[in-house]
Amino acid sequence: MTQAQFTIEEIPFFDPIKIANSGQCFRWKILDASHVELVALGRYLQIAYLGSERFAFSCPRSEFNDLWYNYLDLARDYHQVADCILPDDTYLREALAFGEGIRILNQDPFETLICFIISQRRSIPSITTCVERLCALAGRKIDLPLASLESQELFVNLPEENYFAFPNCEEILKLTPEQLDSIGAGYRKEYILRASLAVFSNDANLQSWSNLSDESLFENLTSLYGVGKKVANCVMLFAYARSSRFPIDVWVQRIIDKYYGGSYDINRYPSTAGIMQQLMFYYERNKSIT
DNA sequence: TACCAGGTTCTAA
DNA sequence: TTAGAACATGGT
Protein backbone atom coordinates (compact mmCIF):
# COMPACT_ATOMS: atom_id res chain seq x y z
CA MET A 1 0.00 0.00 0.00
CA THR A 2 1.42 3.41 -0.95
CA GLN A 3 1.52 6.20 1.57
CA ALA A 4 -0.77 9.22 1.00
CA GLN A 5 1.09 12.21 -0.39
CA PHE A 6 -0.53 14.60 2.03
CA THR A 7 -1.17 14.80 5.76
CA ILE A 8 -4.20 16.13 7.59
CA GLU A 9 -3.80 17.29 11.16
CA GLU A 10 -5.87 19.16 13.74
CA ILE A 11 -3.71 21.84 15.34
CA PRO A 12 -4.83 24.39 17.92
CA PHE A 13 -3.18 27.82 18.11
CA PHE A 14 -1.79 27.66 14.59
CA ASP A 15 -2.27 30.35 11.97
CA PRO A 16 0.08 29.96 8.97
CA ILE A 17 -0.91 33.30 7.47
CA LYS A 18 0.07 35.13 10.64
CA ILE A 19 3.31 33.17 10.81
CA ALA A 20 4.05 34.15 7.20
CA ASN A 21 3.64 37.80 8.23
CA SER A 22 5.44 37.52 11.54
CA GLY A 23 8.93 38.53 10.41
CA GLN A 24 10.65 35.44 11.80
CA CYS A 25 10.85 33.72 8.40
CA PHE A 26 11.40 35.16 4.93
CA ARG A 27 10.46 32.28 2.64
CA TRP A 28 6.82 31.80 3.53
CA LYS A 29 4.33 33.08 0.96
CA ILE A 30 0.59 33.59 1.27
CA LEU A 31 -1.14 32.15 -1.81
CA ASP A 32 -4.73 32.98 -0.88
CA ALA A 33 -6.93 33.21 2.23
CA SER A 34 -6.46 29.55 3.08
CA HIS A 35 -3.17 28.52 1.46
CA VAL A 36 0.44 29.22 2.37
CA GLU A 37 3.59 27.84 0.78
CA LEU A 38 7.11 27.77 2.11
CA VAL A 39 10.58 26.52 1.36
CA ALA A 40 12.53 25.33 4.38
CA LEU A 41 14.81 22.45 5.40
CA GLY A 42 15.58 21.95 1.70
CA ARG A 43 11.95 21.17 0.85
CA TYR A 44 8.77 22.72 -0.46
CA LEU A 45 5.63 22.61 1.67
CA GLN A 46 2.12 23.87 1.08
CA ILE A 47 -0.35 24.23 3.94
CA ALA A 48 -4.11 24.42 3.36
CA TYR A 49 -6.62 25.45 6.01
CA LEU A 50 -9.65 23.16 6.03
CA GLY A 51 -11.60 24.82 8.86
CA SER A 52 -12.11 23.91 12.54
CA GLU A 53 -8.37 23.93 13.29
CA ARG A 54 -7.76 21.29 10.61
CA PHE A 55 -4.91 21.65 8.12
CA ALA A 56 -3.64 19.73 5.11
CA PHE A 57 0.10 19.52 4.50
CA SER A 58 1.52 18.63 1.08
CA CYS A 59 3.78 15.88 2.37
CA PRO A 60 3.50 12.27 3.47
CA ARG A 61 2.85 11.52 7.12
CA SER A 62 6.42 10.31 7.62
CA GLU A 63 7.88 13.65 6.40
CA PHE A 64 5.40 15.57 8.51
CA ASN A 65 6.40 13.64 11.62
CA ASP A 66 10.14 13.70 10.90
CA LEU A 67 10.54 17.32 9.80
CA TRP A 68 7.58 19.63 9.97
CA TYR A 69 6.23 18.71 13.39
CA ASN A 70 9.38 20.06 15.01
CA TYR A 71 9.90 22.90 12.52
CA LEU A 72 6.41 24.23 13.25
CA ASP A 73 6.92 23.83 17.01
CA LEU A 74 3.80 21.71 17.32
CA ALA A 75 4.89 20.02 20.53
CA ARG A 76 4.51 23.21 22.52
CA ASP A 77 1.22 24.03 24.23
CA TYR A 78 0.69 27.67 23.28
CA HIS A 79 -2.47 27.98 25.33
CA GLN A 80 -0.32 27.35 28.36
CA VAL A 81 2.06 30.08 27.18
CA ALA A 82 -0.89 32.45 26.79
CA ASP A 83 -2.08 31.67 30.31
CA CYS A 84 1.24 32.97 31.68
CA ILE A 85 0.53 36.54 30.60
CA LEU A 86 0.17 38.68 33.70
CA PRO A 87 -3.25 40.25 34.33
CA ASP A 88 -1.85 43.78 34.42
CA ASP A 89 0.09 43.37 31.14
CA THR A 90 -2.58 45.04 29.05
CA TYR A 91 -0.47 45.57 25.95
CA LEU A 92 0.65 41.95 25.78
CA ARG A 93 -2.92 40.75 26.26
CA GLU A 94 -3.98 42.84 23.27
CA ALA A 95 -0.99 41.50 21.32
CA LEU A 96 -2.01 37.93 22.10
CA ALA A 97 -5.62 38.52 21.03
CA PHE A 98 -4.30 39.97 17.75
CA GLY A 99 -1.55 37.44 17.10
CA GLU A 100 -3.05 34.20 18.42
CA GLY A 101 -1.84 31.40 16.19
CA ILE A 102 1.75 32.55 15.82
CA ARG A 103 4.24 29.83 16.69
CA ILE A 104 7.99 30.27 16.97
CA LEU A 105 9.54 28.15 14.23
CA ASN A 106 12.55 25.90 14.70
CA GLN A 107 14.48 26.96 11.61
CA ASP A 108 17.83 25.89 10.23
CA PRO A 109 20.66 27.69 12.12
CA PHE A 110 22.74 28.62 9.06
CA GLU A 111 19.77 29.93 7.10
CA THR A 112 18.55 31.90 10.11
CA LEU A 113 22.01 33.33 10.72
CA ILE A 114 22.45 34.54 7.15
CA CYS A 115 18.88 35.84 6.88
CA PHE A 116 19.15 37.89 10.04
CA ILE A 117 22.57 39.19 9.03
CA ILE A 118 20.85 40.41 5.87
CA SER A 119 17.94 41.78 7.91
CA GLN A 120 19.87 44.44 9.73
CA ARG A 121 18.71 47.96 8.94
CA ARG A 122 16.34 46.78 6.20
CA SER A 123 12.58 46.44 5.79
CA ILE A 124 11.02 42.98 5.65
CA PRO A 125 10.02 43.22 1.93
CA SER A 126 13.58 44.20 1.13
CA ILE A 127 14.99 41.30 3.17
CA THR A 128 12.70 38.88 1.34
CA THR A 129 13.90 40.14 -2.04
CA CYS A 130 17.54 39.80 -1.06
CA VAL A 131 17.09 36.30 0.41
CA GLU A 132 15.23 35.07 -2.68
CA ARG A 133 17.99 36.39 -4.95
CA LEU A 134 20.58 34.58 -2.87
CA CYS A 135 18.63 31.31 -3.05
CA ALA A 136 18.05 31.60 -6.80
CA LEU A 137 21.75 32.22 -7.41
CA ALA A 138 23.32 29.75 -5.03
CA GLY A 139 20.65 27.32 -3.83
CA ARG A 140 19.89 23.85 -5.12
CA LYS A 141 16.75 23.48 -7.23
CA ILE A 142 14.00 21.71 -5.34
CA ASP A 143 12.00 18.82 -6.68
CA LEU A 144 8.35 19.74 -6.35
CA PRO A 145 5.57 17.33 -5.44
CA LEU A 146 3.76 18.80 -8.43
CA ALA A 147 1.89 15.79 -9.79
CA SER A 148 0.77 14.64 -6.39
CA LEU A 149 -0.40 18.12 -5.44
CA GLU A 150 -2.35 18.67 -8.60
CA SER A 151 -4.17 15.43 -8.06
CA GLN A 152 -5.45 16.78 -4.77
CA GLU A 153 -8.17 19.40 -4.63
CA LEU A 154 -6.85 20.42 -1.23
CA PHE A 155 -3.99 22.45 -2.63
CA VAL A 156 -3.43 25.37 -4.95
CA ASN A 157 -1.75 24.31 -8.16
CA LEU A 158 1.84 25.35 -8.30
CA PRO A 159 2.87 28.04 -10.75
CA GLU A 160 5.47 27.01 -13.27
CA GLU A 161 8.40 28.54 -11.52
CA ASN A 162 11.50 27.19 -9.88
CA TYR A 163 11.97 26.87 -6.16
CA PHE A 164 15.41 26.84 -4.60
CA ALA A 165 16.69 25.60 -1.27
CA PHE A 166 18.57 27.99 0.94
CA PRO A 167 22.26 27.58 0.00
CA ASN A 168 24.78 26.02 2.34
CA CYS A 169 28.08 27.71 3.18
CA GLU A 170 29.95 26.06 0.33
CA GLU A 171 27.39 27.17 -2.22
CA ILE A 172 27.63 30.75 -0.98
CA LEU A 173 31.43 30.71 -1.05
CA LYS A 174 31.36 29.50 -4.67
CA LEU A 175 29.58 32.68 -5.83
CA THR A 176 31.67 35.14 -7.80
CA PRO A 177 32.04 38.67 -6.38
CA GLU A 178 29.75 39.91 -9.17
CA GLN A 179 27.09 37.35 -8.30
CA LEU A 180 27.28 38.24 -4.63
CA ASP A 181 27.01 41.94 -5.48
CA SER A 182 23.89 41.23 -7.49
CA ILE A 183 21.85 40.02 -4.53
CA GLY A 184 21.88 43.57 -3.17
CA ALA A 185 23.14 42.85 0.32
CA GLY A 186 25.19 46.04 0.34
CA TYR A 187 27.73 46.35 3.13
CA ARG A 188 26.40 43.08 4.68
CA LYS A 189 28.07 41.13 1.87
CA GLU A 190 31.27 40.93 3.90
CA TYR A 191 29.32 39.69 6.93
CA ILE A 192 27.71 36.93 4.84
CA LEU A 193 31.06 35.83 3.42
CA ARG A 194 32.85 35.76 6.75
CA ALA A 195 30.01 33.88 8.47
CA SER A 196 29.97 31.35 5.63
CA LEU A 197 33.72 30.94 5.86
CA ALA A 198 33.55 30.42 9.63
CA VAL A 199 31.00 27.65 9.13
CA PHE A 200 32.92 26.10 6.22
CA SER A 201 36.18 26.02 8.17
CA ASN A 202 34.31 24.55 11.15
CA ASP A 203 35.33 27.47 13.37
CA ALA A 204 31.58 27.84 13.77
CA ASN A 205 30.04 24.39 14.09
CA LEU A 206 26.43 25.49 14.20
CA GLN A 207 25.08 21.98 14.79
CA SER A 208 27.23 21.32 17.84
CA TRP A 209 26.44 24.79 19.18
CA SER A 210 22.95 23.52 19.96
CA ASN A 211 24.45 21.79 23.00
CA LEU A 212 25.82 25.03 24.46
CA SER A 213 24.38 27.03 27.31
CA ASP A 214 22.53 30.23 26.41
CA GLU A 215 25.49 32.31 27.54
CA SER A 216 28.06 30.36 25.50
CA LEU A 217 25.84 30.24 22.43
CA PHE A 218 25.29 34.00 22.59
CA GLU A 219 29.02 34.57 23.01
CA ASN A 220 29.88 32.34 20.04
CA LEU A 221 27.29 33.94 17.77
CA THR A 222 28.33 37.49 18.61
CA SER A 223 31.96 36.56 17.98
CA LEU A 224 31.06 36.30 14.28
CA TYR A 225 31.81 39.47 12.32
CA GLY A 226 28.58 41.31 11.60
CA VAL A 227 26.57 39.54 14.29
CA GLY A 228 25.55 41.74 17.19
CA LYS A 229 23.23 41.08 20.10
CA LYS A 230 20.00 41.59 18.13
CA VAL A 231 20.89 39.14 15.36
CA ALA A 232 22.34 36.66 17.86
CA ASN A 233 19.14 36.73 19.90
CA CYS A 234 17.03 36.21 16.77
CA VAL A 235 19.13 33.20 15.76
CA MET A 236 18.89 31.78 19.27
CA LEU A 237 15.12 32.27 19.35
CA PHE A 238 14.24 31.18 15.81
CA ALA A 239 16.82 28.44 15.21
CA TYR A 240 17.96 27.14 18.60
CA ALA A 241 14.62 27.07 20.44
CA ARG A 242 15.91 29.43 23.13
CA SER A 243 12.49 30.87 23.87
CA SER A 244 13.75 33.00 26.73
CA ARG A 245 15.72 35.27 24.35
CA PHE A 246 14.24 38.71 23.75
CA PRO A 247 15.60 40.44 20.63
CA ILE A 248 15.23 44.21 20.84
CA ASP A 249 14.97 45.96 17.49
CA VAL A 250 13.59 49.37 16.58
CA TRP A 251 10.00 48.11 16.80
CA VAL A 252 10.37 46.45 20.19
CA GLN A 253 12.26 49.44 21.57
CA ARG A 254 9.42 51.64 20.37
CA ILE A 255 6.93 49.40 22.21
CA ILE A 256 9.00 49.47 25.39
CA ASP A 257 9.23 53.26 25.26
CA LYS A 258 5.56 53.77 24.46
CA TYR A 259 3.82 51.15 26.59
CA TYR A 260 6.29 50.10 29.28
CA GLY A 261 7.76 53.41 30.42
CA GLY A 262 11.13 52.88 28.75
CA SER A 263 12.18 49.62 30.42
CA TYR A 264 10.96 46.05 30.08
CA ASP A 265 11.68 43.33 32.63
CA ILE A 266 12.07 40.11 30.64
CA ASN A 267 12.12 38.15 33.89
CA ARG A 268 8.35 38.49 33.97
CA TYR A 269 8.31 35.62 31.48
CA PRO A 270 11.49 33.67 32.24
CA SER A 271 11.11 30.84 29.73
CA THR A 272 8.81 32.44 27.15
CA ALA A 273 10.00 36.05 26.76
CA GLY A 274 10.85 35.41 23.10
CA ILE A 275 7.34 34.21 22.30
CA MET A 276 5.94 37.30 24.00
CA GLN A 277 8.38 39.45 22.02
CA GLN A 278 7.15 37.94 18.77
CA LEU A 279 3.51 38.65 19.67
CA MET A 280 4.39 42.25 20.53
CA PHE A 281 6.38 42.70 17.32
CA TYR A 282 3.60 41.28 15.16
CA TYR A 283 0.92 43.38 16.86
CA GLU A 284 2.81 46.64 16.60
CA ARG A 285 3.72 46.13 12.94
CA ASN A 286 0.33 44.94 11.75
CA LYS A 287 -2.37 46.51 13.92
CA SER A 288 -2.58 49.68 11.85
CA ILE A 289 -2.64 47.77 8.55
CA THR A 290 -5.63 45.54 9.26
C1' DT B 1 12.30 62.68 -3.65
C1' DA B 2 13.21 61.81 0.91
C1' DC B 3 12.96 58.84 4.43
C1' DC B 4 13.37 54.64 6.88
C1' DA B 5 14.26 49.80 7.44
C1' DG B 6 13.82 43.11 12.72
C1' DG B 7 21.88 46.79 13.50
C1' DT B 8 26.82 46.44 13.70
C1' DT B 9 31.29 48.19 13.51
C1' DC B 10 34.54 51.65 14.10
C1' DT B 11 36.41 55.71 16.17
C1' DA B 12 37.00 59.36 19.33
C1' DA B 13 36.32 61.18 23.76
C1' DT C 1 32.75 52.57 28.63
C1' DT C 2 29.86 55.21 25.72
C1' DA C 3 28.10 58.28 22.12
C1' DG C 4 27.88 59.15 17.43
C1' DA C 5 29.05 58.54 12.59
C1' DA C 6 29.23 55.51 8.64
C1' DC C 7 27.40 51.99 6.22
C1' DA C 8 24.52 50.05 0.69
C1' DT C 9 20.33 49.19 -1.03
C1' DG C 10 15.35 48.64 -1.62
C1' DG C 11 10.46 49.81 -0.65
C1' DT C 12 7.03 53.32 -0.04
Side-chain angles (χ1 to χ4, degrees), chain A residues 40-81:
Chain A
L41 310 176
R43 301 188 186 230
Y44 173 93
L45 182 70
Q46 193 176 130
I47 306 174
Y49 182 53
L50 307 178
S52 307
E53 298 188 336
R54 290 173 71 249
F55 298 87
F57 297 84
S58 65
C59 63
R61 167 60 66 180
S62 56
E63 181 180 317
F64 179 83
N65 290 346
D66 293 345
L67 295 179
W68 302 114
Y69 185 83
N70 177 63
Y71 173 82
L72 298 167
D73 203 30
L74 299 184
R76 188 190 293 272
D77 182 349
Y78 276 76
H79 287 302
Q80 206 170 50
V81 174

Side-chain angles (χ1 to χ4, degrees), chain A residues 93 125 127 142 146 175 184 215 270:
Chain A
R93 289 192 167 279
I127 299 163
I142 288 180
L146 192 57
L175 292 175
E215 293 69 25

Side-chain angles (χ1 to χ4, degrees), chain A residues 16-17 19-20 25-32 34-40 43-48 56 58 68 71 132 144-146 149 155-163:
Chain A
I17 289 182
I19 293 172
C25 49
F26 304 104
R27 307 200 69 203
W28 283 49
K29 188 175 168 189
I30 298 166
L31 298 174
D32 61 31
S34 57
H35 293 85
V36 163
E37 69 174 10
L38 61 115
V39 178
R43 301 188 186 230
Y44 173 93
L45 182 70
Q46 193 176 130
I47 306 174
S58 65
W68 302 114
Y71 173 82
E132 278 312 313
L144 296 178
L146 192 57
L149 278 191
F155 301 104
V156 173
N157 284 353
L158 297 176
E160 291 183 6
E161 60 181 280
N162 293 325
Y163 292 81

